[in-house]
């Protein structure tokens, strides 16, 4: 039961955080990226577009949070996308070197949360199976 509560709390938090971060990037463009400075209109356009995509990603987490039980398959897919983002950060590190410290911190969070979400993914479904055997 505790794992199910942790899962639900993390899924809600992930959804709201991603929506907020995505909208922040849509509204502020380059100014939303610590250490980016003035990257020009092309990168600003790209950043705002990806901000909108990230907002949609957050809405997908919120969709999952509103289900009962939270679907394990949705959590796994969303966590997989999150993990792919973390791998992208590692690739960037290997190719271009260390980014702004805040990006490093985000990468650590992404690398830590991805396996946690996979571990918790079916927590609510398991509780439901135990409560209604048959």
């Amino acid at each position: 039961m505790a794992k199910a509560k942790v899962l639900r709390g993390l899924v809600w938090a992930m959804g709201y955080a991603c929506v907020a971060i995505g909208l922040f990037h849509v509204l502020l463009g380059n100014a939303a990226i610590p250490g980016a400075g003035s990257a020009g209109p092309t990168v600003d356009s790209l950043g705002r577009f990806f901000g909108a995509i990230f907002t949609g990603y957050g809405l997908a987490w919120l969709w999952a949070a509103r289900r009962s039980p939270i679907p394990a398959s949705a959590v796994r897919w969303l966590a997989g996308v999150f993990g792919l983002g973390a791998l992208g950060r590692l690739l960037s590190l290997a190719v271009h070197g260390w980014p702004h410290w805040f990006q490093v911190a985000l990468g650590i969070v992404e690398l830590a949360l991805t396996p946690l979400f996979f571990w918790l993914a079916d927590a609510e479904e398991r509780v439901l199976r135990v409560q209604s055997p048959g």
Side-chain angles (χ1 to χ4, degrees), residues 8-58:
R8 184 157 292 277
L10 282 174
V11 171
W12 277 111
M14 186 73 151
Y16 283 123
C18 291
V19 167
I21 292 166
L23 291 175
F24 185 66
H25 281 267
V26 169
L27 296 173
L28 296 180
N30 287 341
I33 305 169
S38 177
T42 301
V43 174
D44 183 79
S45 174
L46 182 67
R48 291 176 196 263
F49 172 79
F50 285 138
I53 298 298
F54 203 62
T55 300
Y57 176 70

Side-chain angles (χ1 to χ4, degrees), residues 69-132:
I70 293 174
S73 60
V75 173
R76 288 185 185 111
W77 274 103
L78 292 167
V81 170
F82 200 56
L84 186 60
L87 291 177
R89 288 190 194 275
L90 291 174
L91 180 60
S92 178
L93 175 65
V95 172
H96 295 289
W98 291 96
H100 187 275
W101 69 266
F102 189 69
Q103 302 301 319
V104 174
L106 290 174
I108 291 168
V109 168
E110 293 155 4
L111 287 169
L113 283 181
T114 297
L116 179 62
F117 275 118
F118 274 98
W119 180 63
L120 294 171
D122 66 347
E124 282 197 356
E125 290 178 354
R126 281 178 179 250
V127 168
L128 188 62
R129 282 193 301 264
V130 169
Q131 289 176 350
S132 58

